[in-house]
Amino acid sequence: MSRIVGDVSVSLRRTDGTIEEGRAWHSSGVDDLGPSKPHYSGTYWSSTMRDHVVYESRLELTRLLYDDFDRSVTGIWAQPFLLSAKVDGQRTRHVPDFLVRRDGHVPLVVDVKPRHLLIRPKTNYALGWAREVALARGWDFELWSEPPESELANLRFLAGYRRDWLFDEDLLTEIREADLHGASLGESFRAFPNHSVWKVRAAVLRLLWCQHFVTDLTVPLSERHELRKGQALLVGAGRRDLPPLIDESGQDETPLRDEPARQVPDTRRGASMTGAAVRVGVGTRLMDDGEAVVVEAMFGAAAGNEVLVRDGSGRRFRLSVREVLTSSRAAVIPERLGPASDDDRETASVILAQLTDAELAEVRERAAHMGNRPPT
C-alpha cells in the first residue's frame, strides 16, 4: 500500500465555470464536489439526474447505465474533482471517473478501467492511492471494468424506456394494478386487449426498467422471461480490491505449462466433436479484437487458466484461455495450414469416426483400390 504524506487537496470546477483549487479534501462535501466538467466524448441522458452526464469512453457509458438502473442511486457526477497528494514522497494527482450518491449509503467514488489495465504497475499504483484516500475519508471506492455481455445488452435495451414522459400514465397504472407476477413477458404483452400491443409492450418494458417487475437479466431477454417481485440482481463488474501486479518481465508467481490441445463441441447431428484442435502455450500467436498478440506466460486463476499476452507496442494484458478458445473476440493464429477451430466442415478423422463398421470396410476397400492404381 502506498504511503500518503501530508494533507490531501481537491480541485473542482463550478457550474458557472469558476475553478477552486487546493480545497481541503476532508472538509469538502458531496454537494461541493458534484459538478461535471464539459466537452467530453459523449453524453448520456440520465433518468436519475434528469440531465445529461458526460462520459469519456464506452466503458464509462456502461457504468452510467448500471447506475441509472440502480434504484438506490440518487446522484451521478462525472469527473467530479481532482485529487492531489504527496504519495511516497512524490506529488501525485488523480481525477476519479464518477462520484455516486446512494440512498442510505456513503458516497461512492468510481474509477473505470479495462480489466487488462488493472495489473499494470502505473495504473495499479494510481488506483491504489485513490482508493486509500476515499476509504480514509469514510467514503466507498469501486473499480469498474467490462460487465457481462448479455446483462449489458439487456440494460442497453431497457434504457430505451427510461424517459417517463413518453408513456401513457393511465396504461402504466392499469398494468401496475394487474397481477402479472409469475406471468411471462409474452403473456404480459397480450394481457390487455383493449390497448394496442405495441403500447402495452412498451409500458411493460418501462415498468421493467423502473423495477416494478424484475426478471433474469443475465441471459438475453425473450418473451419466455418470467416477471416477479423483488429487487433486480445484477452481476455487474465492480470490485473494491485491486488485482495482483505483473512485474516488468511479465512473469507471475504461478506459471503453468502449455494449455493442452482443445476440441470445440459441435451440435450437428451425428457429430460429437470437431476435429480442429489448437494448442495454446508460450509463443502462441493470437488475434484479440483484430490485433495480433503473443502469449508470454500462463497462470492459474479462480475462474480458470489465463494467458499473459503482449501486443505489437509492448503492452501486456491477460486473457482467459476459455475466451481464446470459444469467443468470437479472440482466436488462435495457426502456425501452418491445416484444420482450424472455425472450419465450416469436419476433418476426415471426425467423419470416419461416425461411420458404421460396414461403411468403414467399404472405405478401406476403396482406399486399397486407389493405392493399387498404377501411376499416371
Side-chain angles (χ1 to χ4, degrees), residues 58-337:
R58 300 294 292 179
L59 188 56
E60 288 187 11
L61 176 58
T62 69
R63 176 66 197 211
L64 286 175
L65 286 170
Y66 275 76
D67 281 335
D68 208 23
F69 184 69
D70 189 340
R71 298 300 95 188
S72 70
V73 171
T74 59
I76 313 166
W77 296 278
Q79 304 272 326
F81 48 79
L82 167 68
L83 288 173
S84 178
K86 199 170 185 181
V87 185
D88 295 333
Q90 294 184 344
R91 177 58 60 180
T92 308
R93 294 183 174 187
H94 180 72
V95 180
D97 293 308
F98 296 107
L99 177 65
V100 179
R101 177 187 283 170
R102 303 167 296 171
D103 189 23
H105 298 273
V106 298
L108 174 66
V109 176
V110 179
D111 267 307
V112 178
K113 287 289 182 291
R115 191 171 288 109
H116 70 265
L117 292 183
L118 297 179
I119 57 176
R120 298 183 68 177
K122 185 176 180 180
T123 303
N124 195 286
Y125 174 83
L127 296 176
W129 80 261
R131 175 180 181 272
E132 183 180 349
V133 166
L135 296 181
R137 174 72 190 275
W139 290 5
D140 209 351
F141 180 86
E142 189 171 287
L143 297 170
W144 181 264
S145 299
E146 297 85 351
E149 292 182 6
S150 294
E151 188 175 83
L152 174 59
N154 287 334
L155 281 193
R156 281 176 173 159
F157 173 71
L158 292 178
Y161 301 89
R162 67 187 185 277
R163 300 173 177 84
D164 52 2
W165 67 87
L166 298 177
F167 298 89
D168 183 343
E169 189 58 41
D170 292 335
L171 176 57
L172 291 175
T173 300
E174 184 178 348
I175 296 175
R176 288 191 192 99
E177 294 175 349
D179 184 15
L180 292 179
H181 298 101
S184 68
L185 265 179
E187 291 169 342
S188 66
F189 294 160
R190 297 181 286 272
F192 303 89
N194 294 330
H195 300 277
S196 299
V197 173
W198 68 268
K199 285 188 175 182
V200 175
R201 181 178 185 272
V204 170
L205 293 172
R206 162 68 186 172
L207 294 177
L208 199 56
W209 168 262
C210 296
Q211 298 183 45
H212 176 78
F213 306 117
V214 298
T215 192
D216 182 9
L217 295 178
T218 61
V219 295
L221 280 173
S222 70
E223 291 196 357
R224 297 187 298 274
H225 270 62
E226 181 181 330
L227 302 178
R228 60 179 188 275
K229 297 180 181 179
Q231 184 177 1
L233 300 177
L234 298 177
V235 176
R239 57 184 299 170
R240 295 191 63 191
D241 60 320
L242 287 164
L245 288 169
I246 59 171
D247 61 30
E248 293 302 321
S249 65
Q251 300 301 311
D252 206 342
E253 63 280 359
T254 53
L256 299 178
R257 295 183 177 179
D258 289 2
E259 182 75 7
R262 294 288 186 89
Q263 290 181 311
V264 183
D266 192 334
T267 56
R268 287 175 285 184
R269 183 180 64 85
S272 57
M273 291 282 185
T274 69
V278 292
R279 181 175 295 278
V280 178
V282 175
T284 300
R285 298 175 66 241
L286 310 173
M287 187 66 69
D288 177 58
D289 258 355
E291 183 177 17
V293 297
V294 180
V295 175
E296 290 196 338
M298 301 188 66
F299 314 99
N305 293 341
E306 295 182 346
V307 291
L308 178 71
V309 299
R310 185 189 74 251
D311 64 14
S313 62
R315 181 175 63 106
R316 292 186 175 92
F317 54 94
R318 295 194 188 197
L319 291 174
S320 163
V321 172
R322 180 186 297 273
E323 181 180 14
V324 170
L325 295 175
T326 63
S327 170
S328 59
R329 174 178 176 269
V332 177
I333 300 175
E335 297 179 359
R336 57 184 180 275
L337 295 178

Side-chain angles (χ1 to χ4, degrees), residues 13-47:
R13 185 191 299 269
R14 294 289 187 183
T15 52
D16 60 3
T18 60
I19 298 176
E20 290 192 40
E21 296 184 352
R23 290 177 59 105
W25 166 241
H26 286 278
S27 63
S28 301
V30 175
D31 294 331
D32 297 323
L33 305 177
S36 310
K37 295 191 292 183
H39 48 261
Y40 286 114
S41 59
T43 59
Y44 169 80
W45 190 87
S46 166
S47 59

